[in-house]
Amino acid sequence: MRMSLSVEELPLAWLRDNCPCLRCRDPRNGQKLFQITELPVDLALGAVRQTADGVEVDWAPDGHRSAYSARWLTANRPDAGDGSGDRRDETGKTLWVAADLADGLPEADWAEYLRDPVTKARVLESVLGLGFALLRDVPCREGQVLAVAETFGYVRETNYGRLFDVRVEPDPNNLAFTGARIAPHTDNPYRDPVPTLQLLHCLSNAAVGGDSGLVDGFKAAALLRAEDPEAFAVLTRIPVPFRFSDARTELAADRPLIDVDGRGRIREVRFNNRSISTLRLPADELDAFYRAYRIFAEITLRPELQLDFRLSPGDCLIFDNVRLLHARTAFEESGARHLQGAYADIDALAGTLAVLLRQRVVAGEEFLDGLAQLFTGEGAGAYLGEAVTMAQHMLQAAAQAEEAGAPGPLVAAALLHDIGHFQGPVSGEELMAGTDNLHSHTGADRLADWFGPEVTEPIRLHVAAKRYLCAVEPEYFDRLSEASVYTLEVQGGPMSPSEVDGYEANPYAADGVAVRRWDDEGKDPEVSAPDFAHFRPLLAALLRTA
Amino acid sequence: MRMSLSVEELPLAWLRDNCPCLRCRDPRNGQKLFQITELPVDLALGAVRQTADGVEVDWAPDGHRSAYSARWLTANRPDAGDGSGDRRDETGKTLWVAADLADGLPEADWAEYLRDPVTKARVLESVLGLGFALLRDVPCREGQVLAVAETFGYVRETNYGRLFDVRVEPDPNNLAFTGARIAPHTDNPYRDPVPTLQLLHCLSNAAVGGDSGLVDGFKAAALLRAEDPEAFAVLTRIPVPFRFSDARTELAADRPLIDVDGRGRIREVRFNNRSISTLRLPADELDAFYRAYRIFAEITLRPELQLDFRLSPGDCLIFDNVRLLHARTAFEESGARHLQGAYADIDALAGTLAVLLRQRVVAGEEFLDGLAQLFTGEGAGAYLGEAVTMAQHMLQAAAQAEEAGAPGPLVAAALLHDIGHFQGPVSGEELMAGTDNLHSHTGADRLADWFGPEVTEPIRLHVAAKRYLCAVEPEYFDRLSEASVYTLEVQGGPMSPSEVDGYEANPYAADGVAVRRWDDEGKDPEVSAPDFAHFRPLLAALLRTA
């Protein structure tokens, strides 16, 4: 932290350009209020004062004063790398081959996507990171694809309309509207700007054939770079004349097959053999291009790169059209196959994800505020006949877990294991619903919006663990408190042998037992445990924000 | 022509990839039907035969046969340069400084733009070539800006909506919605793809201040390259973190201020000081960036670069948002200033222009077909008591002009000078309207859709020229034919001295006299003139296609 306060070593124009004062930035919208040309040409540091929160700088020669927080200086120091960035080049992506997705496609149920911001964030993150996601059970209504696009952005209208029907047409202006096989390609390369996202919503797919395929074009380009750097360089340099023409339309874009940014990072791929028009270049450039084009095309066709699947009615595929190549096997033109497609843009999708995450961070803080209030409010009440309050009990259990060196999620589980006892009237809307009949289950369910199974499942099991221990450890029963012996009966008594087998099959069985033992130890009125604030950072780190 | 048929010297893969046969291209939409990987790896030329129309090639080893027309081979030979291209980089633009537009802005009346395809094409061409155009007298209705966008493309919806109001807002999320001065900038650099076109429609502008300015960002970038190549290189290489954030939006794009294509040609400029976030780079890179950024910013602010004007109610400015920087002077927030803006994309605009030109070429051929029919049909009729037909008369006049070495437009004027006599029943809708009272004027007016004033104005003057010559050349009257003497009286007799002065002030006065003299000479039944087909290529070259 100390190092970051040595503003003398920082580039002066950069530091001044980032002055956060109200004269330099509009507080209403964060926009800069000055031109770079308005800064003194002979800008220099005057007095520099360390403050409680960072540093304060008097600038020469104009006497402007800037204050920079230590936090800002640390987060933005020039050697901190180029930051999170816009995640549009290859460094912001997870490149893949088909086998990487053998465990399943990135998918979600449409209703869940609409209901749950975490599910929605996960879907959008998949489109950004993997290049695609699949929504299931989207209503099979005409025009529904537009509603899907509008959940994260804006429809990009093209010559094909706001939406387009992918089915066999009598007089097709595009091969997509025939039954022909379509090799892996990106759409609309003859547009500039090309639509960066495509949606395909399956309304029916009863035809023989017509399966779908996706290829990560960034992966293919990265392979080309590794295997044949000269071919890669050629394809990043030579603009390809993409053309499209029909009775009402005439489009042209001269763009390379592989677009790299100023640092040579892969940023966009356009690949569509159907719409490459005649290149006019010197003969040696044409030879170099065709050699490289063929090698790249061969890579895109490698079977291990292509992820094959079949769209069923209700599926809506969302994919990055400047990265992923999509393909289709041939199908019988007599069969019923009808998709509706639309284009959109990925900048709005990334923005929607960013806002979701921002809102989730705020909601997470509110959730933790609610938990904190439960510990000081309702939690200060009596705990089922024990000599400690509910809050003391849970804090003691968590302290035990912490002292035992348990992993974070298990400490959190110990801390929150009896949350199901709380009626939760005061705050935190997630905690306000329902009453506690099966407190281990209701507690786990209430927490599932915010914590993963490594926190919720030991909580869910901590009552079963008591019944389990009573069955397998005779001496365990002897150590139970009086109240606990009473509740054991209410909860079903010791487990039967078959119940024991069932319990042990649960992957969280051992964690449930661990929480149970800290539960049993946390009932000592003489012990002083840390308060909720002590555990809050741990909980914050475990919150599911996406 | 001969040279282009030496297919042996052409790059093989290129030649084969451009095979126009029905197995290689879908005749319905022109799309390629094969993958580049499907061509034989050991592709070679087999037999090559010259044909009447070009060459026919048998390919080895697969025996495929391709036929290439001589015309195609000539137009697309590899050394012919890279063709017309998509006109998106600097080579497709006319770069300008303010003085280049001193003669007036590229503008058109809205009603004329809607009515006349040539006016529309000229407006769209200005947006493509100069980067902007101004439509006047666009109805001052809310939402009208969307209708303007839809005349050439598709509205690009953003976080600001399908359209946005530029006026003083109580809680602005953008400085545009205050009365502040806005320095030259491009919009939405934090979007990727950035909207490539912007429209601003003025509904009211009664405030003190609030004038508009435009700067050609390509010109500024070209100046930077010429004056400081190192700074130019830095700005093309370093991605700048553009950011925008408000309650509902969070957008990010890391793009350079100057985007060049693979050959180093300027292709896009993004320039907006307000939304540049904190760059995180090594200190030496930051120093290099800030040095170059400042120099570029200074160039954009040079007074000679900025075209200043004021939008009046009804004006709609259309401009290239990845090339032109737009600016606004400060205005009093109490004054009424209200623009409505929208974004769109330039690819569709260029496509609309291409289709207009294509349609215009077809319509031009039809127009010439109609003229040809007039010469063989109605033109074969008697010519006001002369011994020649009207067609013979006009063809003889044109032949005289040609023999005299007159420039093309004047030959065309001689050929078409009596077109106003035709009732024009058979074809060519432009020629079908109206009857001939003042045949020189109606003829000129009928032709004005297709020819410029250098053709139409001598025609308009050729009757006045007779009256003029009778006034200033006593011997001229003596040479007139009997019929011409008769019509002279109907047409007003010799000019008065003041009419003579008026005639001589017309810039086309001499051309009118020249046409008149050929008119007088073209009445000899013994002379055989070339037919209309002889003059058709000349007329085709003079047609106003845009």
Side-chain angles (χ1 to χ4, degrees):
Chain A
M1 190 67 90
R2 203 68 206 145
M3 182 191 70
S4 69
L5 300 186
S6 308
V7 294
E8 290 82 356
E9 293 162 25
L10 297 174
L12 289 185
W14 172 85
L15 188 63
R16 174 66 180 269
D17 192 39
N18 283 288
C19 174
C21 84
L22 295 183
R23 284 167 54 200
C24 289
R25 281 182 188 272
D26 190 309
R28 298 171 293 190
N29 49 49
Q31 293 186 303
K32 269 177 210 171
L33 294 170
F34 62 93
Q35 300 294 309
I36 196 70
T37 48
E38 293 168 30
L39 299 190
V41 283
D42 50 349
L43 188 69
L45 281 181
V48 175
R49 289 175 296 280
Q50 304 286 330
T51 62
D53 177 42
V55 295
E56 199 171 72
V57 173
D58 289 337
W59 292 98
D62 65 345
H64 188 80
R65 180 171 293 179
S66 305
Y68 303 94
S69 71
R71 181 175 172 169
W72 185 89
L73 287 166
T74 304
N76 291 285
R77 60 180 199 278
D79 59 353
D82 57 359
S84 58
D86 63 3
R87 298 193 54 196
R88 291 291 285 277
D89 71 63
E90 59 183 311
T91 63
K93 309 294 186 186
T94 304
L95 274 49
W96 53 263
V97 297
D100 296 327
L101 292 152
D103 289 343
L105 303 178
E107 60 178 73
D109 174 76
W110 169 245
E112 186 70 6
Y113 167 88
L114 290 179
R115 188 195 65 77
D116 175 35
V118 176
T119 300
K120 182 171 180 179
R122 195 166 41 75
V123 167
L124 302 184
E125 169 58 38
S126 292
V127 177
L128 213 53
L130 294 172
F132 74 109
L134 198 52
L135 290 171
R136 305 284 198 186
D137 289 320
V138 177
C140 284
R141 275 197 294 267
E142 301 232 349
Q144 181 67 29
V145 68
L146 300 177
V148 176
E150 286 161 1
T151 62
F152 57 74
Y154 310 101
V155 172
R156 176 97 80 89
E157 190 173 355
T158 70
N159 53 304
Y160 301 105
R162 270 176 73 77
L163 65 75
F164 49 92
D165 289 287
V166 185
R167 60 185 166 195
V168 175
E169 301 277 358
D171 186 21
N173 70 345
N174 194 299
L175 286 180
F177 310 142
T178 70
R181 167 187 175 238
I182 310 275
H185 68 285
T186 63
D187 267 20
N188 279 16
Y190 37 78
R191 283 207 170 273
D192 183 17
V194 68
T196 50
L197 282 180
Q198 183 171 173
L199 296 90
L200 286 172
H201 179 215
C202 180
L203 295 175
S204 65
N205 195 4
V208 175
D211 291 352
S212 298
L214 289 173
V215 172
D216 183 354
F218 278 20
K219 178 70 178 182
L223 287 170
L224 178 67
R225 180 173 53 198
E227 296 172 12
D228 195 329
E230 174 55 28
F232 178 83
V234 165
L235 295 190
T236 62
R237 194 181 70 235
I238 293 184
V240 174
F242 290 106
R243 297 291 183 269
F244 180 83
S245 178
D246 67 11
R248 297 178 303 111
T249 314
E250 197 160 316
L251 293 164
D254 294 351
R255 299 303 306 267
L257 294 187
I258 302 171
D259 203 18
V260 294
D261 69 12
R263 293 140 178 241
R265 294 171 179 169
I266 300 164
R267 194 172 171 92
E268 287 188 0
V269 167
R270 293 173 187 231
F271 194 85
N272 189 319
N273 71 297
R274 283 173 287 154
S275 49
I276 295 181
S277 176
T278 301
L279 284 86
R280 289 197 219 157
L281 293 169
D284 58 338
E285 288 243 80
L286 286 177
D287 282 331
F289 172 79
Y290 270 96
R291 174 186 165 277
Y293 172 33
R294 183 174 189 128
I295 293 169
F296 187 42
E298 281 165 353
I299 292 174
T300 68
L301 292 172
R302 287 180 188 169
E304 66 267 29
L305 259 66
Q306 183 160 323
L307 181 70
D308 294 307
F309 57 98
R310 186 175 174 85
L311 290 176
S312 300
D315 290 348
C316 184
L317 181 66
I318 308 167
F319 61 95
D320 182 340
N321 186 52
V322 286
R323 173 182 171 195
L324 260 55
L325 283 54
H326 62 292
R328 171 185 90 194
T329 60
F331 65 93
E332 289 180 10
E333 296 208 355
S334 59
R337 185 178 190 274
H338 184 196
L339 313 183
Q340 285 196 320
Y343 298 109
D345 281 306
I346 200 166
D347 53 358
L349 180 145
T352 300
L353 174 59
V355 171
L356 271 178
L357 296 181
R358 191 171 71 187
Q359 290 170 338
R360 186 78 182 161
V361 166
V362 171
E365 288 300 312
E366 288 172 356
F367 170 75
L368 294 179
D369 289 346
L371 283 183
Q373 286 184 33
L374 284 178
F375 273 79
T376 54
E378 192 179 352
Y383 171 42
L384 297 179
E386 304 286 355
V388 292
T389 66
M390 286 200 291
Q392 283 175 316
H393 167 61
M394 297 207 292
L395 291 165
Q396 285 185 20
Q400 299 266 356
E402 195 170 49
E403 279 162 30
L410 216 44
V411 175
L415 178 70
L416 303 173
H417 74 276
D418 272 350
I419 210 82
H421 280 312
F422 287 65
Q423 300 300 317
V426 285
S427 62
E429 64 182 286
E430 292 82 358
L431 292 173
M432 286 171 70
T435 56
D436 179 21
N437 291 312
L438 295 160
H439 82 276
S440 59
H441 290 278
T442 52
D445 289 346
R446 284 179 185 179
L447 295 171
D449 271 352
W450 285 104
F451 296 110
E454 62 284 3
V455 174
T456 60
E457 295 318 292
I459 295 174
R460 192 183 304 282
L461 291 177
H462 86 278
V463 170
K466 179 166 85 171
R467 298 179 54 226
Y468 168 76
L469 287 170
C470 290
V472 301
E473 283 187 22
E475 68 279 19
Y476 175 80
F477 179 84
D478 300 336
R479 289 204 304 273
L480 286 183
S481 70
E482 205 174 325
S484 216
V485 168
Y486 168 77
T487 55
L488 175 64
E489 290 313 308
V490 179
Q491 290 156 343
M495 280 182 171
S496 69
S498 75
E499 286 176 322
V500 165
D501 288 348
Y503 181 86
E504 289 177 347
N506 190 306
Y508 294 98
D511 287 348
V513 166
V515 168
R516 180 72 232 173
R517 294 194 197 279
W518 297 318
D519 179 0
D520 295 329
E521 300 300 314
K523 299 174 177 177
D524 185 346
E526 304 303 313
V527 168
S528 162
D531 62 6
F532 180 81
H534 170 79
F535 297 105
R536 183 165 173 150
L538 167 71
L539 296 182
L542 292 169
L543 289 182
R544 291 171 58 224
T545 48
Chain B
M1 191 66 92
R2 204 67 208 148
M3 181 191 71
S4 68
L5 301 185
S6 307
V7 293
E8 291 82 356
E9 293 161 25
L10 298 174
L12 289 185
W14 172 84
L15 188 63
R16 175 65 180 269
D17 191 39
N18 283 289
C19 174
C21 85
L22 296 184
R23 284 164 58 199
C24 289
R25 282 183 185 270
D26 190 310
R28 297 172 293 190
N29 49 49
Q31 293 186 305
K32 269 176 211 172
L33 294 171
F34 61 93
Q35 300 294 309
I36 196 70
T37 50
E38 293 168 31
L39 299 189
V41 284
D42 51 349
L43 188 69
L45 281 179
V48 175
R49 287 175 296 281
Q50 304 285 330
T51 63
D53 178 42
V55 293
E56 197 172 70
V57 173
D58 289 336
W59 291 99
D62 65 346
H64 188 80
R65 180 172 292 177
S66 305
Y68 303 95
S69 71
R71 182 175 174 170
W72 185 89
L73 287 166
T74 304
N76 292 284
R77 60 181 199 279
D79 58 353
D82 57 359
S84 57
D86 63 3
R87 300 193 51 196
R88 292 291 285 277
D89 70 64
E90 59 182 309
T91 64
K93 309 294 187 186
T94 305
L95 274 50
W96 53 263
V97 297
D100 297 327
L101 292 152
D103 289 343
L105 303 179
E107 61 179 75
D109 174 76
W110 169 245
E112 185 69 6
Y113 168 87
L114 289 180
R115 189 195 65 76
D116 175 35
V118 175
T119 300
K120 181 170 180 178
R122 196 165 42 75
V123 167
L124 301 185
E125 170 58 36
S126 293
V127 177
L128 213 53
L130 294 173
F132 75 108
L134 197 54
L135 290 171
R136 305 283 198 185
D137 290 321
V138 177
C140 286
R141 275 197 295 267
E142 300 231 352
Q144 181 69 26
V145 68
L146 300 177
V148 176
E150 286 161 0
T151 62
F152 56 74
Y154 310 102
V155 172
R156 178 98 80 88
E157 191 173 354
T158 71
N159 52 303
Y160 301 105
R162 270 177 72 78
L163 66 76
F164 50 92
D165 290 287
V166 184
R167 61 184 165 195
V168 176
E169 301 276 356
D171 186 21
N173 69 345
N174 194 300
L175 286 180
F177 311 141
T178 70
R181 166 187 176 239
I182 310 275
H185 68 284
T186 63
D187 266 20
N188 279 17
Y190 37 76
R191 284 207 170 273
D192 183 16
V194 67
T196 49
L197 283 181
Q198 183 171 173
L199 296 90
L200 287 173
H201 179 214
C202 181
L203 295 175
S204 65
N205 195 5
V208 175
D211 291 351
S212 299
L214 289 174
V215 172
D216 184 353
F218 277 20
K219 179 71 178 183
L223 287 170
L224 178 67
R225 179 173 54 197
E227 296 172 12
D228 195 331
E230 174 55 28
F232 179 84
V234 165
L235 295 190
T236 63
R237 194 181 68 235
I238 293 184
V240 174
F242 291 106
R243 298 291 183 269
F244 179 82
S245 178
D246 67 11
R248 298 178 302 108
T249 314
E250 197 160 315
L251 292 165
D254 294 352
R255 299 302 305 269
L257 294 186
I258 302 171
D259 202 18
V260 293
D261 69 11
R263 293 142 179 241
R265 294 171 180 168
I266 300 163
R267 193 172 171 91
E268 287 188 0
V269 167
R270 292 173 187 232
F271 194 85
N272 189 318
N273 73 298
R274 284 173 285 153
S275 49
I276 295 181
S277 177
T278 302
L279 284 86
R280 290 198 217 155
L281 293 169
D284 57 339
E285 288 242 79
L286 286 177
D287 283 331
F289 172 79
Y290 270 96
R291 174 185 166 278
Y293 172 33
R294 184 175 187 125
I295 293 170
F296 187 41
E298 281 165 353
I299 292 174
T300 68
L301 292 172
R302 288 181 187 169
E304 67 267 30
L305 259 65
Q306 183 161 323
L307 181 71
D308 295 307
F309 56 101
R310 186 175 174 85
L311 290 176
S312 300
D315 290 348
C316 184
L317 181 65
I318 308 167
F319 61 97
D320 183 340
N321 187 51
V322 287
R323 173 182 170 194
L324 259 55
L325 283 55
H326 61 292
R328 172 187 87 193
T329 59
F331 64 93
E332 289 180 11
E333 296 207 356
S334 59
R337 185 179 191 272
H338 184 196
L339 313 184
Q340 285 197 319
Y343 298 110
D345 282 304
I346 201 167
D347 53 358
L349 180 145
T352 300
L353 174 59
V355 171
L356 271 177
L357 296 182
R358 191 170 70 187
Q359 290 169 340
R360 186 77 181 162
V361 167
V362 171
E365 287 301 313
E366 289 172 356
F367 170 74
L368 293 181
D369 289 345
L371 282 184
Q373 287 183 33
L374 284 178
F375 273 79
T376 53
E378 192 179 350
Y383 170 43
L384 298 178
E386 304 285 354
V388 291
T389 66
M390 287 200 290
Q392 281 176 318
H393 168 62
M394 297 206 293
L395 290 166
Q396 283 185 21
Q400 299 265 357
E402 196 171 50
E403 277 161 34
L410 216 44
V411 176
L415 178 69
L416 303 174
H417 74 274
D418 273 348
I419 209 81
H421 280 312
F422 288 64
Q423 301 300 317
V426 286
S427 64
E429 63 183 288
E430 292 83 356
L431 293 174
M432 286 169 69
T435 56
D436 178 21
N437 291 312
L438 293 160
H439 82 277
S440 59
H441 289 277
T442 52
D445 289 347
R446 285 178 185 179
L447 294 171
D449 271 352
W450 286 102
F451 296 109
E454 62 284 4
V455 174
T456 60
E457 295 318 292
I459 293 174
R460 191 183 305 281
L461 292 177
H462 85 278
V463 170
K466 179 166 86 173
R467 298 181 54 228
Y468 168 76
L469 286 170
C470 289
V472 301
E473 284 187 22
E475 68 277 20
Y476 174 81
F477 179 84
D478 301 335
R479 287 203 305 274
L480 286 182
S481 68
E482 205 173 326
S484 216
V485 170
Y486 169 77
T487 54
L488 174 64
E489 290 313 307
V490 179
Q491 291 155 345
M495 283 182 170
S496 68
S498 75
E499 286 176 320
V500 164
D501 288 349
Y503 181 86
E504 287 177 348
N506 190 304
Y508 294 98
D511 287 346
V513 166
V515 168
R516 180 72 232 174
R517 294 195 196 277
W518 296 317
D519 179 0
D520 295 328
E521 299 300 312
K523 299 174 178 177
D524 184 346
E526 302 304 313
V527 168
S528 163
D531 63 8
F532 180 82
H534 169 80
F535 296 104
R536 182 165 174 152
L538 166 70
L539 297 183
L542 292 169
L543 289 182
R544 291 170 60 223
T545 49

